C-alpha cells in the first residue's frame, strides 16, 4: 500500500498542474482547486475526489465553441442555417469557422482546436479514474466513490459523443495514455464508439441520482445520462450513418452504423427518459416572454446544463462572452456576433400554424402575426428590446435624418462599434436577460447553457418513432412541442410528418447547437450550401422605413464537410490514423 500511496502523491501533483493549466477558471461550479490541495495530497476522502471531479465539468458545452478569441463568443450556429458571423458588417465579415473559404486538413478556422480540446478532457477523465482506483477514499467509501466515478464517466462519454459528431469514428482511449504516447493508435469504427457510449451509460445511469437539488444544478443525473444515450442513438440511426446512404466511398466503418433495430433502439432510449419524468407536458408558456424565460434560469425541463454564477470573469468566460454582450444589437453596446439569417426566420410559422409560403404571410409586413418563438428568439426591425425599438436602417441622407442606432453606420454615434451593426437585419434574442436593462456588460446570475432538455427528447422520440413506423406516437410527441408554443397539433402523415418534425427541431432548438449537425445527419445539402439572405432597411427623409431582401454571400458545401478533418499534425505523426475522406 505504501508504494501505491507514493504513486498517488506524485500523480496528484502532476494531475493538479495539468488540470489548472487547462482550466484557468472554475466559474461553472464555483470552486478553486488550487486552494483545496497540498502537493503531497493522498486521495483519502470523497470530498477530495469530488473536488477533482468538478474541474472536468468545464468540458461541458458553452455559449462559445472553443478557447480561441472569437470562438469564445459564438458557437456553431454561425456555420449553420441559423446565423452568420457579424463583424465588419458593411464590408466582409470574418469567417472564423471557414464556411466561405472551405475546409482543408490544414485549416478549418477556429474549429481546428476541437480535436485537442475534446481529447484533453478525455485524458483528464482517464487520469482521474486511474488515480481514484485503489485510493484510500475508494477503499473506505466505495459507494460514494463509485457515484463520483459515474459522473466522470458520463463527462467522458459526453466528450466522445462530440468527437463522433465532428470526426466520425475516433480512437477510444480509456486509460491515461495520450495520442502522443503511442504513434500507432488507430481509429475505432463509428459503431464501436457508439457502443462504448451506450454501454457506459447503461452501467453508470443506475449509480447516478435521478435528479439533483438546486444547489447541485449542473451535476450529472440519471436523466442527463439517458438523454445523452437518446441523442447518440438518434444520430447514429440517421441517414448520414446508413451504409447505403453515407456520402463517403472508402473506410465506411469510420462513418456508418448498421444495426437492424436502430430506429427502435433510438425510440426506446428517448422513451426511457420520458417514462422517468412521468410522461408529462412541457412547462406552459402562454406568451413569448414566458418562452424566452425558459432559457434564463434552472427549471424542471432542463435535463443537463452548464450553470453560470454571478461572477464569470475568468479567461474565456468573462461577461463579454455571455449573450447579453455578445449578441445584443450594436446600439446597446452589444456585439451582435451571431446574426440570424433571413433564411432561418422564414422557417417560423404564422400564429395560425400556416407557413410563410401561405396567404397568411404578408410580404409587406413580414413580422406581423408570427408564431411565439419568432418573437422570443429574433430581434427584428422594430422589435421592442431593452426599452426601445430596434432600428437597423440606413438613412438616405444621414445629415438630415440619422441612421438607425443599430445599423452599421459609421456616422451614427451610438454606444456600439459600427463593425457590429447587423448585416442580415436581425440579431439573436434567445438567451438574453432583458432584466439587466441597457447595461449588457454585467453577469446574469443563474442563466444556464442548456445541453439536454425535455423538448429535445420529445422531438427525438417523435423522429425515431416515425422512422420505426409508429406515426401515431410521432404525431403525439411532436405536437406536444408544437402546442406548447401555441401552434396547432401536427396532423400530417408520411413524408409531410417527417418534415414537420424537422421544422419543429429547427425552430424549437434554434441556436442551441443542433442545426449544424441535424442538417448533416439528414443529408440536407440544400441547407448546408446555399445563398445567405438578409434584409436591408432604408429610412427616407420622412423617417419611413422600407426593406429589400438581398443575398449577402453564397455559402459553398463540399461532401468532405460532413466532418472536420483530423488535424494534419496528428496524421503526420500517427501512421495508423486515417484522415477523413476528402482531406
Amino acid at each position: 500500500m505504501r508504494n501505491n500511496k507514493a504513486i498517488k502523491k506524485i500523480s496528484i501533483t502532476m494531475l493538479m498542474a495539468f488540470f489548472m493549466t487547462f482550466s484557468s477558471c472554475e466559474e461553472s461550479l464555483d470552486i478553486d482547486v488550487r486552494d483545496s490541495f497540498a502537493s503531497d495530497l493522498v486521495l483519502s476522502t470523497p470530498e477530495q475526489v469530488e473536488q477533482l471531479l468538478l474541474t472536468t465539468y468545464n468540458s461541458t458545452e458553452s455559449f462559445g465553441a472553443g478557447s480561441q478569441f472569437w470562438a469564445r463568443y459564438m458557437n456553431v450556429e454561425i456555420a449553420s442555417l441559423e446565423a452568420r458571423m457579424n463583424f465588419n458588417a458593411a464590408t466582409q465579415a470574418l469567417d472564423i469557422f471557414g464556411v466561405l473559404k472551405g475546409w482543408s486538413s490544414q485549416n478549418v478556422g477556429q474549429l481546428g482546436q476541437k480535436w485537442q480540446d475534446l481529447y484533453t478532457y478525455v485524458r483528464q477523465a482517464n487520469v482521474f479514474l486511474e488515480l481514484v482506483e485503489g485510493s484510500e477514499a475508494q477503499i473506505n467509501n466505495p459507494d460514494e466513490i463509485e457515484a463520483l466515478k459515474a459522473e466522470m464517466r458520463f463527462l467522458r462519454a459526453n466528450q466522445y459523443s462530440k468527437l463522433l459528431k465532428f470526426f466520425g469514428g475516433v480512437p477510444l482511449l480509456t486509460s491515461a495514455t495520450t495520442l502522443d504516447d503511442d504513434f500507432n493508435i488507430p481509429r475505432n469504427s463509428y459503431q464501436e464508439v457508439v457502443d462504448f457510449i451506450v454501454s457506459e451509460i447503461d452501467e453508470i445511469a443506475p449509480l447516478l441520482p435521478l435528479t439533483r437539488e438546486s444547489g447541485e444544478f449542473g451535476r450529472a443525473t440519471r436523466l442527463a445520462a439517458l438523454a445523452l444515450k437518446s441523442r447518440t442513438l438518434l444520430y447514429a440511426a440517421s441517414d448520414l450513418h446508413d451504409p447505403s446512404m453515407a456520402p463517403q466511398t472508402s473506410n465506411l466503418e469510420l462513418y456508418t452504423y448498421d444495426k437492424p433495430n436502430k430506429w427502435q433502439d433510438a425510440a426506446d432510449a428517448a422513451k426511457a427518459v420520458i417514462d422517468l419524468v412521468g410522461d408529462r407536458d412541457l412547462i406552459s408558456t402562454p406568451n413569448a416572454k414566458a418562452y424566452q424565460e425558459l432559457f434564463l434560469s434552472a427549471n424542471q425541463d432542463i435535463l443537463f446544463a452548464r450553470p453560470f454564477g454571478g461572477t464569470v470573469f475568468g479567461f474565456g468566460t468573462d461577461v463579454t462572452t455571455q449573450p447579453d454582450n455578445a449578441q445584443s444589437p450594436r446600439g446597446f453596446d452589444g456585439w451582435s456576433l451571431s446574426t440570424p439569417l433571413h433564411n432561418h426566420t422564414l422557417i417560423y410559422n404564422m400564429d395560425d400554424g400556416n407557413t410563410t409560403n401561405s396567404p397568411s404571410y404578408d410580404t409587406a409586413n413580414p413580422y406581423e402575426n408570427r408564431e411565439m418563438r419568432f418573437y422570443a428568439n429574433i430581434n427584428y426591425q422594430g422589435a421592442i428590446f431593452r426599452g426601445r425599438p430596434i432600428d437597423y436602417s440606413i438613412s438616405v441622407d444621414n445629415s438630415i435624418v440619422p441612421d438607425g442606432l443599430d445599423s452599421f453606420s459609421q456616422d451614427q454615434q451610438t454606444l456600439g462599434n459600427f463593425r457590429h451593426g447587423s448585416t442580415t437585419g436581425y440579431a439573436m434574442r434567445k438567451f438574453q436577460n432583458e432584466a439587466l436593462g441597457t447595461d449588457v456588460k454585467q453577469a446574469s446570475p443563474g442563466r444556464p447553457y442548456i445541453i439536454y432538455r425535455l423538448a429535445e427528447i420529445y422531438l427525438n422520440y417523435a423522429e425515431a418513432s416515425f422512422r420505426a413506423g409508429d406515426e401515431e406516437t410521432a404525431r403525439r410527441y411532436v405536437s406536444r412541442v408544437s402546442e406548447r408554443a401555441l401552434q396547432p397539433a401536427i396532423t400530417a402523415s408520411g413524408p409531410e410528418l417527417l418534415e414537420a418534425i424537422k421544422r419543429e427541431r429547427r425552430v424549437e432548438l434554434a441556436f442551441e447547437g443542433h442545426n449544424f449537425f441535424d442538417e448533416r445527419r439528414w443529408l440536407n445539402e440544400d441547407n448546408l450550401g446555399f445563398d445567405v439572405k438578409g434584409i436591408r432597411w432604408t429610412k427616407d427623409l420622412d423617417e419611413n422605413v422600407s426593406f429589400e431582401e438581398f443575398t449577402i454571400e453564397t455559402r459553398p458545401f463540399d461532401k468532405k464537410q460532413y466532418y472536420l478533418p483530423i488535424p494534419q499534425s496528428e496524421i503526420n505523426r500517427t501512421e495508423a490514423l486515417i484522415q477523413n475522406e476528402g482531406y
Side-chain angles (χ1 to χ4, degrees):
M1 190 65 187
R2 177 179 301 174
N3 290 340
N4 188 49
K5 285 187 176 182
I7 292 171
K8 300 263 181 227
K9 289 179 181 179
I10 295 170
S11 297
I12 195 66
T13 305
M14 296 171 62
L15 180 68
M16 290 311 303
F18 174 76
F19 281 8
M20 287 186 288
T21 297
F22 197 78
S23 303
S24 60
C25 67
E26 314 301 347
E27 86 298 337
S28 304
L29 293 158
D30 195 28
I31 64 169
D32 189 342
V33 295
R34 292 164 291 188
D35 294 338
S36 304
F37 298 97
S39 61
D40 61 348
L41 175 72
V42 175
L43 288 175
S44 58
T45 68
E47 291 76 18
Q48 293 169 337
V49 174
E50 184 178 47
Q51 289 282 3
L52 287 181
L53 163 71
L54 294 184
T55 65
T56 309
Y57 273 89
N58 281 318
S59 68
T60 57
E61 297 88 327
S62 187
F63 295 104
S67 56
Q68 292 177 277
F69 179 80
W70 286 113
R72 289 155 47 198
Y73 302 89
M74 297 159 284
N75 217 311
V76 291
E77 71 274 354
I78 66 166
S80 76
L81 183 63
E82 296 170 337
R84 72 189 290 271
M85 182 180 176
N86 191 63
F87 186 74
N88 274 349
T91 56
Q92 176 62 54
L94 294 179
D95 184 26
I96 66 160
F97 292 161
V99 294
L100 296 179
K101 60 179 172 285
W103 294 346
S104 72
S105 61
Q106 303 288 347
N107 190 4
V108 289
Q110 293 189 12
L111 290 174
Q113 288 291 111
K114 282 295 180 185
W115 179 272
Q116 177 182 336
D117 289 351
L118 294 171
Y119 267 116
T120 295
Y121 280 118
V122 168
R123 171 168 165 73
Q124 187 165 314
N126 291 339
V127 171
F128 169 91
L129 292 168
E130 289 192 3
L131 280 172
V132 170
E133 191 65 32
S135 67
E136 186 177 332
Q138 184 182 50
I139 292 169
N140 294 332
N141 307 274
D143 292 341
E144 289 180 73
I145 298 305
E146 284 305 305
L148 295 173
K149 287 171 61 181
E151 284 187 68
M152 185 63 90
R153 290 169 68 184
F154 163 77
L155 293 173
R156 183 177 64 181
N158 195 51
Q159 292 301 96
Y160 274 117
S161 74
K162 289 182 279 187
L163 282 162
L164 266 184
K165 291 188 293 184
F166 281 114
F167 299 101
V170 294
L172 268 175
L173 306 181
T174 56
S175 67
T177 186
T178 70
L179 290 171
D180 294 332
D181 294 332
D182 182 347
F183 285 86
N184 208 36
I185 297 178
R187 297 170 66 174
N188 288 79
S189 71
Y190 182 92
Q191 188 159 308
E192 286 171 339
V193 181
V194 171
D195 289 346
F196 172 77
I197 294 169
V198 170
S199 66
E200 285 286 281
I201 297 304
D202 288 344
E203 287 185 26
I204 66 176
L207 303 175
L208 294 169
L210 181 62
T211 58
R212 300 267 186 181
E213 295 184 357
S214 60
E216 290 189 325
F217 178 71
R219 296 277 295 271
T221 64
R222 195 178 315 156
L223 287 172
L226 295 178
L228 168 58
K229 179 179 177 180
S230 169
R231 186 185 295 175
T232 299
L233 287 176
L234 180 79
Y235 278 44
S238 298
D239 292 347
L240 176 62
H241 307 295
D242 188 305
S244 67
M245 303 178 73
Q248 293 77 26
T249 58
S250 60
N251 301 308
L252 289 183
E253 72 281 357
L254 299 177
Y255 313 106
T256 56
Y257 185 79
D258 190 17
K259 292 197 172 181
N261 299 314
K262 61 183 182 180
W263 284 111
Q264 190 58 54
D265 290 344
D268 291 344
K271 188 61 162 57
V273 179
I274 294 169
D275 288 343
L276 282 177
V277 301
D279 198 10
R280 60 173 175 79
D281 288 336
L282 299 169
I283 294 172
S284 175
T285 54
N287 52 51
K289 186 175 186 297
Y291 183 86
Q292 190 178 357
E293 289 175 348
L294 290 174
F295 304 93
L296 300 182
S297 61
N299 60 66
Q300 65 176 351
D301 283 0
I302 298 175
L303 305 178
F304 186 61
R306 181 172 183 163
F308 287 90
T311 304
V312 285
F313 299 106
F315 175 79
T317 54
D318 59 272
V319 289
T320 63
T321 69
Q322 303 303 292
D324 304 290
N325 185 93
Q327 303 301 347
S328 282
R330 170 257 180 118
F332 299 90
D333 204 15
W335 294 1
S336 194
L337 287 171
S338 300
T339 48
L341 309 184
H342 186 56
N343 315 57
H344 172 72
T345 68
L346 291 174
I347 298 170
Y348 293 82
N349 279 346
M350 309 306 295
D351 59 7
D352 61 6
N354 285 314
T355 71
T356 54
N357 291 322
S358 73
S360 297
Y361 178 65
D362 182 355
T363 56
N365 298 285
Y367 309 140
E368 291 186 0
N369 303 317
R370 302 296 293 275
E371 66 165 284
M372 169 202 299
R373 291 171 295 192
F374 175 83
Y375 300 113
N377 290 356
I378 306 296
N379 269 326
Y380 56 91
Q381 172 74 16
I384 303 300
F385 179 69
R386 301 190 188 276
R388 69 163 174 83
I390 290 173
D391 188 359
Y392 300 119
S393 66
I394 295 293
S395 172
V396 295
D397 186 343
N398 59 25
S399 68
I400 300 174
V401 174
D403 299 318
L405 292 173
D406 307 299
S407 71
F408 49 75
S409 167
Q410 296 188 46
D411 295 305
Q412 178 57 264
Q413 298 302 308
T414 69
L415 283 172
N417 186 329
F418 73 90
R419 294 177 179 84
H420 293 297
S422 174
T423 315
T424 65
Y426 301 100
M428 190 192 300
R429 192 167 196 156
K430 195 172 189 176
F431 313 124
Q432 303 259 7
N433 183 359
E434 295 177 47
L436 297 178
T438 57
D439 183 3
V440 299
K441 288 183 168 57
Q442 57 180 314
S444 177
R447 175 177 50 205
Y449 181 82
I450 299 172
I451 298 168
Y452 300 105
R453 60 186 179 102
L454 190 56
E456 180 201 346
I457 299 300
Y458 286 170
L459 292 171
N460 291 355
Y461 191 37
E463 183 176 348
S465 295
F466 173 85
R467 297 296 295 264
D470 185 356
E471 290 197 8
E472 180 181 352
T473 296
R475 275 189 293 271
R476 185 186 317 134
Y477 282 88
V478 70
S479 292
R480 277 192 166 182
V481 180
S482 176
E483 290 179 296
R484 190 270 293 277
L486 307 185
Q487 287 281 285
I490 304 299
T491 59
S493 60
E496 290 77 17
L497 174 56
L498 181 58
E499 285 306 309
I501 294 168
K502 291 179 180 181
R503 190 207 79 89
E504 201 61 34
R505 287 186 70 93
R506 292 180 182 120
V507 171
E508 176 67 27
L509 304 178
F511 311 124
E512 296 179 45
H514 293 271
N515 186 258
F516 179 90
F517 300 106
D518 278 347
E519 303 296 347
R520 282 169 165 77
R521 67 183 181 86
W522 294 329
L523 297 178
N524 194 345
E525 295 188 4
D526 287 344
N527 287 344
L528 295 171
F530 55 90
D531 289 340
V532 172
K533 299 292 186 178
I535 295 292
R536 181 184 289 121
W537 290 91
T538 302
K539 186 183 300 183
D540 66 22
L541 297 183
D542 293 323
E543 300 195 27
N544 298 313
V545 295
S546 59
F547 68 91
E548 62 175 336
E549 179 183 316
F550 72 110
T551 298
I552 300 170
E553 62 209 11
T554 297
R555 188 178 291 177
F557 181 77
D558 187 277
K559 289 186 184 299
K560 67 183 179 182
Q561 291 174 259
Y562 279 107
Y563 299 98
L564 292 177
I566 295 172
Q568 191 60 40
S569 58
E570 297 287 345
I571 299 296
N572 292 342
R573 69 187 183 200
T574 308
E575 183 179 347
L577 200 59
I578 299 172
Q579 180 60 280
N580 276 329
E581 185 171 298
Y583 294 104

